[in-house]
Amino acid sequence: MAVSVQAERTDQAETERSGPAHRSRLDPWVEQYAARARGLTASQVRALFAVASRPEVVSLAGGMPYVAALPLDELADIAARVVRDRGAHALQYGSGQGDPDLREQILQVMQPAGIRAHSDDVVVTAGSQLALDLVVRIFCDPGDVVLVEAPTYVTALGVFASYQCQVVHVPMDDQGMVPGALSDAVAAVRASGRRPKLLYTIPSFHNPTGLTQGPARRAAVLELAQRHGLLVLEDDPYGLLGFDGSVPRALRADDPDGVVYLGTFSKTVAAGFRVGWATAPHGIRDKLVLAAETATLCPSNLTQLVLGEYLVTSPWYEQVKAYREVYRERRDALLDALAAYMPAGTTWTVPGGGFYSWLTLPDGLDATAMLPRAVADLVAYVPGTGFFADGQGASSLRLSYCFPPPDRIREGVRRLAGVVAAERDLLADLGAPAPLPARPTAAPSADQV
Ligand code: PMP
């Protein structure tokens, strides 16, 4: 059964549609938005994702962790215990930097990645997304250049846009960011009279490509960052989720003074806790805490205490291993189905961990243009342009295998392959493909995280 792909109405779409004849009471406020709010725009595909969340659609779009794999009864007992026994603390305001005990425990969570730090340098935030926002807030003025992988995490682009940064993409190969291309990008920015401020990178099981920088690649990237005085912002939500059980060594492990490391419990425990952190070079820690206090006063004591208790009383690393198995099985289902069903000319990455594979369509096909047809055929993905600030990525898309069970993944890929083949045949009937136009990108919806 096909679903109709009508855009669902949103207030914003409504406001945008209404011309001068339909001015509403909201319009004067819209005109008064700060310049930085211009970067906050709704994704063109947002309406489609409302349709894609229907149960009959196989969504390979959202990066939602499979939290049903958690020991939910045990977590319920812990939460009850924390409120009953330590409620006066758990339900009170807490430290702006985060609970001291949890900060100590975070040191242990970072150990497999080779990080040795002091808990004074850890700042707990409402998810690592907030830590990312705060680092950009304290370093970037409008127009400052941030270097990022091509493609990169869609909501990092949202942060950079909201602080009016200029994003410069550095090409990747199958080992991640290419050092020669990074040098070229720095030189080009310098030649234009500016200085790049930050190098934002996701070196392990990258979102959206699933690729990982090997040790030599990491050393080369760090060396270049040091040579050019670039502060590295290392985003590492997936580092513990490698399918061969090994944990890539963090950049931070080899340069504690030059790297802000972002970590999170979202993928290794549960995203709903909204507990992440930044481990910062000592000199910037105070500024980060001040920025965190202006944003949220303090992170939630309740979730920090429940999480802390879980880390102490449960074999949490065994749970991480269980997650690895769940995601490895799903990754295998995705790769097998892609190999079995996708038409010639389609390529995809082979992730060694994490949640995502990056698929490139046969020549001339456009992933955004194809999405309505895919959703009508009951499968969803995220089109590639959302992962670039400059309109690249039209022929690519991100597939997430983290949430649907293996048989749904196989069915989703089978449907998607049918759509790709149909689009390719249509293009062949129309003649040679025209070059794909660059498109402006917009902020993601929650389905795209
Ligand atoms: N960085 C990356 C690369 C991500 O994929 C995500 C979540 N999808 C985040 C940061 C934010 O995670 P959280 O705020 O849940 O810690």
Side-chain angles (χ1 to χ4, degrees):
M1 184 203 73
V3 291
S4 95
V5 188
Q6 267 182 352
E8 303 213 342
R9 289 186 156 210
T10 63
D11 288 348
Q12 182 173 356
E14 187 57 45
T15 312
E16 281 167 5
R17 258 196 305 273
S18 20
H22 301 96
R23 282 177 74 85
S24 82
R25 275 193 65 235
L26 286 177
D27 290 343
W29 311 130
V30 170
E31 281 153 19
Q32 289 178 45
Y33 284 146
R36 79 182 80 86
R38 268 183 230 132
L40 301 171
T41 50
S43 157
Q44 299 158 338
V45 296
R46 205 178 194 121
L48 272 178
F49 282 114
V51 180
S53 64
R54 294 183 187 165
E56 62 271 26
V57 177
V58 176
S59 180
L60 302 169
M64 288 187 307
Y66 186 65
V67 293
L70 284 168
L72 295 176
D73 288 343
E74 198 178 322
L75 277 165
D77 291 344
I78 291 172
R81 211 162 54 232
V82 164
V83 173
R84 195 179 49 237
D85 300 346
R86 295 156 73 197
H89 178 39
L91 301 175
Q92 191 50 275
Y93 289 116
S95 154
Q97 189 173 352
D99 180 68
D101 293 340
L102 183 65
R103 286 191 280 114
E104 287 292 335
Q105 291 167 310
I106 285 172
L107 300 183
Q108 283 163 37
V109 175
M110 293 190 296
Q111 261 180 21
I115 295 176
R116 304 277 174 273
H118 195 285
S119 59
D120 276 358
D121 295 331
V122 175
V123 182
V124 179
T125 51
S128 57
Q129 186 67 36
L130 179 62
L132 171 60
D133 185 287
L134 296 174
V135 173
V136 179
R137 185 183 306 189
I138 67 177
F139 278 99
C140 293
D141 290 312
D144 278 349
V145 173
V146 181
L147 299 166
V148 306
E149 279 128 0
T152 192
Y153 169 46
V154 67
T155 321
L157 288 176
V159 172
F160 302 136
S162 75
Y163 289 105
Q164 299 167 280
C165 302
Q166 199 199 324
V167 169
V168 173
H169 285 285
V170 179
M172 300 172 75
D173 61 16
D174 60 0
Q175 289 268 307
M177 182 178 287
V178 177
L182 175 57
S183 285
D184 293 348
V186 173
V189 173
R190 287 256 166 81
S192 71
R194 286 161 309 156
R195 183 174 164 266
K197 274 247 174 102
L198 290 176
L199 171 60
Y200 170 75
T201 178
I202 310 156
S204 305
F205 318 125
H206 177 261
N207 180 358
T209 65
L211 297 170
T212 295
Q213 294 174 17
R217 179 60 59 90
R218 285 171 197 247
V221 168
L222 262 189
E223 196 274 319
L224 281 171
Q226 287 161 353
R227 188 172 347 138
H228 295 296
L230 290 171
L231 179 64
V232 177
L233 186 48
E234 176 180 24
D235 195 0
D236 190 25
Y238 306 101
L240 293 180
L241 295 177
F243 300 138
D244 67 0
S246 65
V247 179
R249 187 171 169 81
L251 298 171
R252 161 85 197 193
D254 292 316
D255 188 5
D257 295 331
V259 179
V260 181
Y261 175 90
L262 306 181
T264 181
F265 289 104
S266 288
K267 323 290 172 173
T268 50
V269 187
F273 280 115
R274 306 309 301 130
V275 177
W277 68 91
T279 304
H282 193 69
I284 67 174
R285 188 275 321 269
D286 285 347
K287 198 58 121 186
L288 207 50
V289 175
L290 289 170
E293 286 173 356
T294 67
T296 59
L297 290 182
C298 63
S300 157
N301 259 1
L302 178 60
T303 56
Q304 289 182 93
L305 263 58
V306 172
L307 202 45
E309 186 74 6
Y310 169 73
L311 296 175
V312 170
T313 59
S314 277
W316 72 272
Y317 207 72
E318 293 306 309
Q319 178 57 39
V320 171
K321 289 181 188 165
Y323 269 138
R324 277 181 197 149
E325 282 311 301
V326 169
Y327 297 134
R328 194 178 52 74
E329 195 193 354
R330 290 170 186 208
R331 187 271 320 248
D332 289 347
L334 181 91
L335 294 180
D336 290 351
L338 287 169
Y341 297 125
M342 274 298 158
T346 316
T347 59
W348 53 88
T349 57
V350 176
F355 287 5
Y356 313 106
S357 173
W358 182 250
L359 182 141
T360 301
L361 295 166
D363 279 351
L365 294 195
D366 180 318
T368 306
M370 196 176 80
L371 185 61
R373 182 173 197 157
V375 173
D377 282 5
L378 305 178
V379 59
Y381 56 81
V382 184
T385 46
F387 303 93
F388 293 89
D390 57 7
Q392 295 181 64
S395 62
S396 295
L397 54 94
R398 189 190 73 178
L399 297 174
S400 303
Y401 49 82
C402 45
F403 197 72
D407 57 332
R408 294 283 289 166
I409 293 173
R410 277 187 283 270
E411 175 57 18
V413 171
R414 196 188 62 76
R415 292 174 189 173
L416 181 60
V419 174
V420 174
E423 291 278 308
R424 186 206 47 192
D425 294 349
L426 191 67
L427 196 72
D429 288 348
L430 293 173
L436 295 171
R439 271 205 197 79
T441 52
S445 73
D447 309 274
Q448 292 166 265
V449 290

